[in-house]
Amino acid sequence: MDKLFKRIATELGIKIDQVSNTIKLLDEGATVPFIARYRKEVTENLDETQISKISEMVIYLRNLETRKEEVIRLIEEQDKLTEELKKQILSAEKLQAVEDKKKRKTKADIAKEQGLEPLSLEIYKMSTLKELEEKAKEFMNEEVATIEAAIEGAKLIVAQNLSETPEYRERLREEMQKKGIVTSKKSKKAEELDGKLIYKDYYEYTEPVSKVLSHRVLALNRGEKEGVLSVGLIFQERDREFIEIYLLKDFQNKGLNNLHREIIKDSLDRLILPSIEREVRNILTEKAEDEAIVVFKENLKNLLMQPPLDKKNILALDPGYRTGCKVAIIDKDGFFKENTVFYLVKAMHNERQLKEAENKIINFIDKYSIDIIVIGNGTASRETESFVAEVLKKVKKDVKYLIGNEAGASIYSASKIAVEEFPDLDVTVRGAISIGKRIQDPLAELVKIDPKSIGVGMYQRSEERR
């Protein structure tokens, strides 16, 4: 871990403590915008660009280490691993260098190299195990020292041939889509990783593949990616038995039925079903993503085409508890004028802070002829709304307030376009500006935000319904 911290710190020209503290926050689930906005004291004032670089590098380097372990294991299983090769893999600094060392030879391929393919063909025809054992003697050599080793190698070849037969794969893929069952269970780390119980519905979940809805597919994929869920596709016992009988049809002689079933079970469990499961899940995911794009397109269109509030002076509030309510003034032409911070949560802030916030709101209303106060709908939104409603009772001018969707505002605030627009402002101020300006002109403001962060997709909507 220290080596990883040191490498990132060296490449970015920052201190190791800044790297380690930032990675700790990222590992705890904090986002880049959140860290840039609210954890300056922990990162020693790293900006959003530096934090993004740290995030990218730590993901790459951790994936690199994981892949090194996998490649070493695969080569070791093939009895091809030497100390020199292991040293080269462990010292590699690029993923491609690791992949170049990988050898994709299976145990069945090795058995073929040992000359056992003719013996594998006999398995289809032999009447008794004794006959097979006699035949196996002809294939013993320096590499195949025993009858058992010869038969085992032949079985591996048959199992691989079964898994590579297009007819079987197509039939099993169809059966999985018609009769397969989607299962999901919580992982050992679920309680640690899913503190808000977002994926609780999927902790003990089963549903036919043919009936699973697209938003559930996306939720399962996300839960699995986050390490909260263990997801799989299975057959019911009667369907699995039917498949085994189906695969027996190519074995001409039934005298070795037990051996044939053993080979089929190995081929299914080790080769065919894991591959078919990946293929069917890819089909489900592709279908779900296509539907999600349609839903997203319609929702986004409706959001972007909302009519702008023309020629309105805006007081934009990005609510918060500990760090206060971030404030931005935007004039009727969309220009940023001023920013500050209010402390207005009655349960957390003292009377002096509350009175100061009240006075500032009233002063801003007078100074800038505020028409609308826009309150972000995130943390402390309700408390802020209550406070603003009380203050407006003391104002003679007809000022309205509304709750605005702040989804994506923090993402925008740390983006390159935000830095270019407001290079001298803090990320917290940029977020408040975004909340206000998207009410003034939704289309002009929301196009600056990564579409996946706007919160109008199928996944977000399905979670809201739950």
Side-chain angles (χ1 to χ4, degrees):
M1 187 65 75
D2 290 342
K3 185 178 178 182
L4 183 147
F5 294 157
K6 186 175 181 180
R7 178 174 173 181
I8 295 175
T10 300
E11 290 198 22
L12 297 182
I14 57 180
K15 294 189 292 187
I16 292 177
D17 285 347
Q18 289 177 294
V19 174
S20 61
N21 291 341
T22 302
I23 291 175
K24 183 179 179 182
L25 290 170
L26 291 167
D27 288 343
E28 290 172 352
T31 63
V32 171
F34 177 85
I35 297 171
R37 290 163 65 95
Y38 304 119
R39 293 295 180 265
K40 293 177 182 291
E41 73 280 6
V42 179
T43 67
E44 298 181 44
N45 292 314
L46 291 181
D47 62 29
E48 58 275 11
T49 303
Q50 292 169 306
I51 297 168
S52 294
K53 286 287 186 183
I54 292 173
S55 177
E56 291 169 8
M57 288 187 69
V58 75
I59 290 171
Y60 179 86
L61 292 174
R62 283 174 173 171
N63 288 342
L64 176 63
E65 293 305 312
T66 300
R67 190 59 183 150
K68 286 179 182 180
E69 295 174 5
E70 291 174 352
V71 170
I72 288 172
R73 177 180 58 79
L74 290 170
I75 297 175
E76 196 168 27
E77 288 178 357
Q78 300 165 13
D79 296 324
K80 299 290 184 180
L81 186 66
T82 64
E83 282 301 317
E84 180 60 27
L85 181 57
K86 184 176 181 179
K87 185 178 178 181
Q88 290 175 1
I89 294 171
L90 290 175
S91 62
E93 294 190 355
K94 298 291 183 181
L95 188 58
Q96 188 57 52
V98 175
E99 297 296 341
D100 290 343
K101 305 294 181 183
K102 185 175 58 179
K103 296 176 175 60
R104 294 183 177 275
K105 191 177 292 183
T106 66
K107 291 182 179 180
D109 293 332
I110 295 171
K112 289 179 181 180
E113 291 177 357
Q114 294 170 342
L116 295 174
E117 192 161 17
L119 180 61
S120 72
L121 299 176
E122 298 296 332
I123 290 178
Y124 289 91
K125 301 180 288 186
M126 288 287 181
S127 300
T128 65
L129 183 59
K130 186 174 182 180
E131 287 179 0
L132 183 62
E133 289 173 343
E134 286 296 318
K135 188 67 177 177
K137 291 178 182 178
E138 301 175 15
F139 295 87
M140 292 173 60
N141 53 46
E142 290 183 2
E143 292 181 307
V144 186
T146 64
I147 293 172
E148 290 78 9
I151 293 175
E152 183 61 30
K155 287 164 60 180
L156 290 170
I157 294 172
V158 174
Q160 180 165 291
N161 289 343
L162 286 172
S163 74
E164 294 175 349
T165 303
E167 176 193 343
Y168 296 158
R169 295 186 65 84
E170 185 176 350
R171 178 66 182 273
L172 263 65
R173 188 162 48 246
E174 291 175 358
E175 290 296 316
M176 181 65 83
Q177 289 176 274
K178 291 178 182 176
K179 300 177 181 178
I181 304 293
V182 181
T183 69
S184 174
K185 295 182 179 180
K186 66 178 181 178
S187 69
K188 292 180 180 179
K189 292 187 175 181
E191 292 181 5
E192 174 187 342
L193 298 173
D194 191 23
K196 295 183 180 179
L197 300 178
I198 293 173
Y199 301 104
K200 184 181 179 182
D201 291 352
Y202 303 106
Y203 283 0
E204 287 291 337
Y205 163 79
T206 61
E207 188 170 8
V209 170
S210 60
K211 295 183 178 180
V212 64
L213 298 175
S214 292
H215 77 266
R216 290 193 181 277
V217 173
L218 298 178
L220 289 167
N221 289 350
R222 183 166 176 171
E224 184 178 51
K225 184 178 179 181
E226 293 177 11
V228 176
L229 302 177
S230 175
V231 183
L233 304 184
I234 62 171
F235 282 111
Q236 292 186 11
E237 189 174 339
R238 64 176 183 272
D239 296 319
R240 165 69 184 241
E241 188 175 345
F242 167 81
I243 290 167
E244 291 184 6
I245 294 171
Y246 169 70
L247 293 176
L248 277 169
K249 67 185 181 68
D250 271 4
F251 294 95
Q252 299 166 13
N253 198 308
K254 306 305 178 187
L256 291 175
N257 239 9
N258 289 338
L259 183 68
H260 297 160
R261 285 185 176 274
E262 186 181 323
I263 293 170
I264 288 170
K265 185 179 186 305
D266 174 53
S267 184
L268 282 171
D269 292 339
R270 184 169 57 86
L271 301 170
I272 304 178
L273 290 181
S275 176
I276 294 298
E277 179 180 348
R278 287 193 295 272
E279 290 178 16
V280 173
R281 286 195 65 184
N282 285 339
I283 291 170
L284 290 173
T285 298
E286 186 175 341
K287 176 176 176 287
E289 288 177 345
D290 286 344
E291 290 187 19
I293 289 171
V294 174
V295 171
F296 181 83
K297 178 182 176 182
E298 187 62 29
N299 289 342
L300 183 60
K301 177 183 175 183
N302 293 336
L303 182 63
L304 295 178
M305 297 311 292
Q306 290 182 101
L309 293 175
D310 191 35
K311 299 298 180 183
K312 300 293 183 183
N313 294 312
I314 301 290
L315 171 59
L317 305 181
D318 183 1
Y321 288 119
R322 183 177 63 87
T323 56
C325 177
K326 279 64 69 181
V327 183
I329 307 296
I330 305 154
D331 72 16
K332 61 184 179 180
D333 297 314
F335 291 106
F336 165 73
K337 305 302 291 184
E338 187 176 340
N339 71 275
T340 187
V341 177
F342 294 161
Y343 296 93
L344 45 67
V345 179
K346 292 182 179 180
M348 295 189 66
H349 303 131
N350 59 47
E351 286 298 324
R352 180 186 61 79
Q353 290 172 316
L354 296 173
K355 188 63 179 176
E356 184 178 329
E358 178 183 315
N359 290 337
K360 282 185 176 181
I361 291 176
I362 293 172
N363 289 337
F364 278 142
I365 290 173
D366 291 338
K367 181 178 179 180
Y368 293 105
S369 296
I370 296 298
D371 299 297
I372 299 174
I373 298 177
V374 181
I375 303 168
N377 64 345
T379 304
S381 176
R382 290 182 179 179
E383 293 87 344
T384 303
E385 178 188 6
S386 176
F387 186 87
V388 168
E390 288 298 319
V391 172
L392 290 183
K393 292 178 181 178
K394 303 176 183 180
V395 176
K396 294 180 180 180
K397 188 177 186 298
D398 184 21
V399 179
K400 307 293 185 184
Y401 78 85
L402 58 83
I403 307 298
N405 184 2
E406 65 176 51
S410 61
I411 302 296
Y412 159 78
S413 69
S415 68
K416 289 182 179 180
I417 191 170
V419 174
E420 291 171 1
E421 282 191 290
F422 305 104
D424 300 325
L425 296 181
D426 188 77
V427 286
T428 57
V429 183
R430 297 180 200 142
I433 292 172
S434 178
I435 292 171
K437 292 186 72 172
R438 66 177 61 184
I439 297 300
Q440 271 189 331
D441 192 343
L443 180 58
E445 192 64 23
L446 291 171
V447 294
K448 302 173 186 176
I449 300 172
D450 188 336
K452 69 182 180 183
S453 301
I454 296 178
V456 294
M458 178 187 292
Y459 183 82
Q460 291 95 334
R461 292 302 185 193
S462 67
E463 290 304 310
E464 288 171 10
R465 288 196 295 270
R466 289 168 55 204

